[in-house]
Amino acid sequence: MARILAVDDSASMRQMVSFTLKGAGHDVIEASDGKEALGKAKGTQVDLVLSDVNMPVMDGLTLVKELRALPNYKFIPILMLTTESTGDKKMEGKQAGATGWLVKPFNPDQLLATIKKVLG
Amino acid sequence: MGIDLSQFHQVFFEESYEGLDVMESALLNLQPDTVDSETINEIFRAAHSIKGGSGTFGFIDVADFTHVIETLLDEIRSGTRKITSETVDLFLQSVDCIRKLIQQHDAGEPCVIPEAVELKKVFEGILSGGDSENESVSSPEPASTITEIDDQTGDGSQADSPLTHGWKIYFKPELDILKTGNDPLRMFRELASLGALSITADISQVPPIGSIDPEACYMAWELELDADVSKSAVDEVFEWVVDESELRIEPLGSDDAVSDVKPEVLVETAIEEITLAPTASTPEVVVQPEEMTSKPKKDASKVEVSSIRVGIDKVDDLINMVGELVITQSMLGELGLDFTMDSLPRLLEGIEQLSQNTRELQESVMRIRMLPISFTFSRFPRLVHDLSRTMNKKIELKLTGEQTELDKTVMEKIGDPLVHLVRNSLDHGIEMPEDRVKAGKPETGTITLNAFHQSGNIVIQIIDDGAGLNKPRILQKAIEKELVSENDNLSDDQIHDLIFKPGFSTADQVSDISGRGVGMDVVRRNINELNGSVEVESTEGQGSVFTIRLPLTLAILDGQLIRVGDKVYILPLISIVESIQSFQGMLHRVVGGCDLLRLRDEYVPIIKLSSIFNIKSTTQEMEDGLLVVVEGDNMKVAILIDDLEAQQQVVIKSLEENYKRVDGVSGATILGNGTVSLILDIPGLIKLAGVQRYEYKMANNDDDRAA
């Protein structure tokens, strides 16, 4: 049972992630871009952030950098939901401070397995 | 655990359509010479989202197709490939293809689209072609990483053989590992879930307490995992940190003392734990998706549910208004409890307030159905772009007043007439570039779509700076088609108006642009059916302006109540030109035809409602009645009635839905006193009365002779 911030500009992806996580008993906060996510993260403490990379207004990488700059998000796991399977995109995420990634497309089971991996 | 992904399909379809629209308009804005990175980004993002979503929700054909486009876009975005107007066209075509593919999934009948296959090949050709400077760098790289991984697992494939019983791991993370949210403990826990794990910590690198950075990780670990798992399972645990850490994974010696049975059991329980945990902790999950998915499925199979998105402010307004209504109601209720004549002024005041509340409520409910006209306008940039290419014309489209709102139903019905008018302006209005230059005009023609509100109507204008209407040619054609006679002395406006006559078309050849077998008369009829009007103004050599006027909604009509005998009918106020009380001297009786009213310099056929509807008129002589001159279907008629009553807004109820179609009647409404009143349909009435255009013409010719 954790509080998870799910960030994606695609409503269908957001709904899928949110529905899956809520089904597993988690508390989910949704945001449709990095800026909204940052605002929500400041407003409450979440245990895990799942973020898309390509988003309008503020992209995922900037969000990670901004979050890591906040004292209470220094060590919080942040996973990038990415379709980039090439190595350099993952490295960009890592350099920005992301914990890891989950490559799209993923199904609910894969999502839950990854969440379990992070939250124990 | 069975989460049914189909419950998210509808949302995915909708956002994909939106994404495609975004791609389309951004592509149209793209100037190949000066690539604007933000525009490319926007296009890329939309394609990227569609690809991600289609992959997730199992629309593999969409995902595959979009993938190629995305790859190309990414190369353009990163600057390794130049964009040309040909690629823009290809992208536009692919937008159509993706839209088709998604529409097929949306309709539940996916099948192969040949042009998608073709187009994909073209894109693949571009991608594999040597144009890309990046090609040699980008494509082999992922391939090599994959083989590398393969090699590793190849090494470790012995792990899958029964000879290996586990792994010896040395793990020394980078100092900053904690700052990426990666916790070594979490990884160890995950390893422990695979089998028995023993851990030895190496604290030799930990500095003296005084100089410790509490956020850094100075430790290293040696781990021994007793589990019959493949190396890739262990790799996966360290997947996110492998690049920044010192990591060695070696098979445990086969001389290990651990028995064969123990790890197996451990693995089994571990697997059980993983698969059971989610279901056990959340029993409601299994039920929830089924409930939620069953509903939309049923609906989708029956009818296509149409819905609108409503801004929250509009809903708030509505709630606010209802609140006011409740206050007024309670005030009136209180007043009614012990009413004396003294409180009459307060009662009247309350009723006044009630009527104001009702009006405001009505307006705000209507606003909910209103959408900005940009929904309709948005299809035109593409249309103009494509058409001007096929015609080799240079045309710029300007859109203004896109935020002007109108009723959703009106919007749906005005789309086709608008397309026709824009095609018409493109085809007949704007000249070829060389002709424009000759005429001293800029090479690029301009078509402007403009919308604004004007006294309860929405006005939409299609303005072009083309050649204008060719009056002599129109007149000649009209005479050929016997729409007018040579003797007719027509004003410019009357000549321009001829293009809306049935059977009129000046195009010498039927082009595929505007000559689609639908004439301007159909455009006018469609607009008239919406209780609207269309007219054209034109200056030769300078261009034309088509102006469409439409009511904001189809649900409410500004009506004029009229009485014939003991029946009350309603005329749309917009159709009334004037009403005339004493017209003795203006009557012109025609034997065997219909009577005519001589109205200034024209003759107007008179329609007697009493004889059409077979009701007894209260006035004996025609001259005692009242004539209402109305305009419908592009002609004027005078309707003979007994009396004019109030003007009021009426709510239109469909007669067709509740009874059947009746000629001459467009609908019905319920009046304040509870009686049903029929709303008259002027073009229908004209047909019913048998007043043909022939007679109208004769009336005008008559006039000519008289003049």
Side-chain angles (χ1 to χ4, degrees), chain B residues 529-550:
Chain B
E529 270 167 21
L530 295 169
N531 283 325
S533 66
V534 56
E535 56 203 44
V536 58
E537 278 169 63
S538 180
T539 314
E540 203 150 0
Q542 287 181 22
S544 314
V545 181
F546 286 86
T547 305
I548 303 173
R549 264 166 230 281
L550 288 168

Side-chain angles (χ1 to χ4, degrees), chain B residues 106-291:
Chain B
D106 196 353
E109 41 205 35
C111 65
V112 177
I113 296 180
E115 62 248 55
V117 181
E118 287 291 309
L119 208 55
K120 197 177 157 204
K121 277 192 196 136
V122 174
F123 276 114
E124 280 163 351
I126 295 176
L127 282 171
S128 60
D131 311 23
S132 171
E133 301 150 36
N134 192 32
E135 196 215 8
S136 53
V137 190
S138 73
S139 53
E141 200 193 350
S144 68
T145 33
I146 288 165
T147 42
E148 208 175 288
I149 291 165
D150 279 351
D151 283 346
Q152 281 174 4
T153 41
D155 275 349
S157 69
Q158 38 185 300
D160 298 319
S161 74
L163 286 174
T164 333
H165 299 295
W167 301 93
K168 189 177 172 151
I169 305 156
Y170 177 75
F171 176 48
K172 184 174 187 303
E174 56 157 347
L175 280 177
D176 281 343
I177 185 176
L178 297 173
K179 290 178 188 164
T180 63
N182 278 300
D183 183 351
L185 272 181
R186 168 185 64 71
M187 288 169 236
F188 301 159
R189 254 199 312 267
E190 204 183 338
L191 282 176
S193 75
L194 298 172
L197 185 73
S198 66
I199 309 170
T200 318
D202 172 7
I203 53 165
S204 57
Q205 302 298 315
V206 180
I209 193 99
S211 56
I212 272 187
D213 171 3
E215 291 178 1
C217 177
Y218 300 100
M219 312 234 300
W221 291 272
E222 264 178 53
L223 306 108
E224 279 185 19
L225 176 65
D226 274 339
D228 190 7
V229 293
S230 65
K231 180 164 179 287
S232 58
V234 181
D235 278 335
E236 210 184 296
V237 173
F238 295 100
E239 186 190 4
W240 295 334
V241 295
V242 64
D243 291 326
E244 297 88 16
S245 309
E246 209 182 315
L247 181 70
R248 281 193 304 271
I249 306 171
E250 292 153 1
L252 270 182
S254 52
D255 57 323
D256 203 279
V258 184
S259 79
D260 275 358
V261 188
K262 201 179 153 200
E264 253 173 52
V265 172
L266 273 170
V267 172
E268 242 171 61
T269 44
I271 287 168
E272 234 171 283
E273 212 178 81
I274 291 169
T275 46
L276 278 183
T279 29
S281 62
T282 57
E284 79 274 27
V285 164
V286 189
V287 188
Q288 230 176 340
E290 275 173 4
E291 271 179 0

Side-chain angles (χ1 to χ4, degrees), chain B residues 32 41 57 97 106 111 150 201 252 254 279 281 360 408 468 507 515 519 559 634 669-670 686:
Chain B
N41 244 330
F57 300 117
C97 265
D106 196 353
C111 65
D150 279 351
L252 270 182
S254 52
T279 29
S281 62
E360 282 172 359
K408 184 172 180 278
N634 202 19
T669 192
I670 298 165
I686 293 173

Side-chain angles (χ1 to χ4, degrees), chain A residues 10-12 23 83 94 99 117, chain B residues 15 48 180 186 240 282 285:
Chain A
S10 154
S12 58
T83 45
K94 289 289 306 199
T99 307
K117 188 168 154 179
Chain B
E15 77 189 2
H48 183 77
T180 63
R186 168 185 64 71
W240 295 334
T282 57
V285 164

